[in-house]
Amino acid sequence: MAFAGRWELESQEGYDEFCKLVGIPDDIIQKGRDYKTVTEVTQSGDDFTWTQFYPSNAKVTNNFTIGKETEMQTISGKTFKATVNMEGGKLTVSFPNYHQVNEISGGKLVETSKAGSVVLKRTKNVYARPSAELQELT
């Protein structure tokens, strides 16, 4: 499954409840509620670079290889060790407070995060394709 590209937030469900549950302060929840986050993914085989761009020019970049433990970082700056797996074309990873599944569905990037019974689902549209991918399409 090709995840490479730039993806802009189209819609999200469960944002406030999920953010509160995982301990994000109310002022940060407020700022992020209507911000169209952008995710940039580069992929070379099983190697990924996954960057999330947030308000105020904040960004978090995680580099990982499918099936290998790596150190990752959250938006709050906390680091932890995790293993990203590919299961049925979906990327899965467990963060300290929640589990996340990323997939391409209908040409969109769908990020589903679950903490207990609370689910945050973000759907993202293609924002721009990497130049190498554009050249392959022409």
Side-chain angles (χ1 to χ4, degrees):
M1 189 60 61
F3 286 87
R6 286 184 78 128
W7 306 88
E8 182 178 43
L9 182 66
E10 173 189 76
S11 65
Q12 59 187 359
E13 304 164 24
Y15 173 79
D16 285 81
E17 188 178 7
F18 181 85
C19 290
K20 287 178 185 179
L21 183 65
V22 298
I24 297 174
D26 287 341
D27 61 323
I28 303 298
I29 293 172
Q30 176 86 20
K31 288 177 186 175
R33 185 176 294 121
D34 297 318
Y35 183 79
K36 295 210 177 264
T37 58
V38 173
T39 301
E40 182 176 68
V41 181
T42 58
Q43 178 182 356
S44 177
D46 286 345
D47 298 322
F48 287 78
T49 299
W50 196 284
T51 303
Q52 297 275 66
F53 295 90
Y54 297 95
S56 305
N57 297 321
K59 72 177 183 176
V60 174
T61 299
N62 286 302
N63 298 298
F64 58 90
T65 300
I66 299 298
K68 294 186 178 177
E69 186 177 66
T70 189
E71 188 166 284
M72 301 185 86
Q73 182 179 348
T74 67
I75 184 61
S76 64
K78 294 178 184 174
T79 58
F80 63 98
K81 290 192 184 272
T83 302
V84 179
N85 292 300
M86 181 76 76
E87 300 171 9
K90 300 176 184 182
L91 294 173
T92 64
V93 62
S94 290
F95 287 80
N97 298 330
Y98 61 95
H99 182 76
Q100 186 170 36
V101 176
N102 300 311
E103 65 183 304
I104 304 298
S105 178
K108 298 178 182 191
L109 173 63
V110 179
E111 302 172 339
T112 305
S113 302
K114 187 173 182 182
S117 63
V118 177
V119 175
L120 168 61
K121 181 178 179 184
R122 290 182 167 169
T123 302
K124 298 181 177 185
N125 282 318
V126 172
Y127 181 69
R129 294 185 182 271
S131 58
E133 221 179 277
L134 287 174
Q135 290 174 353
E136 288 177 15
L137 295 174
T138 57

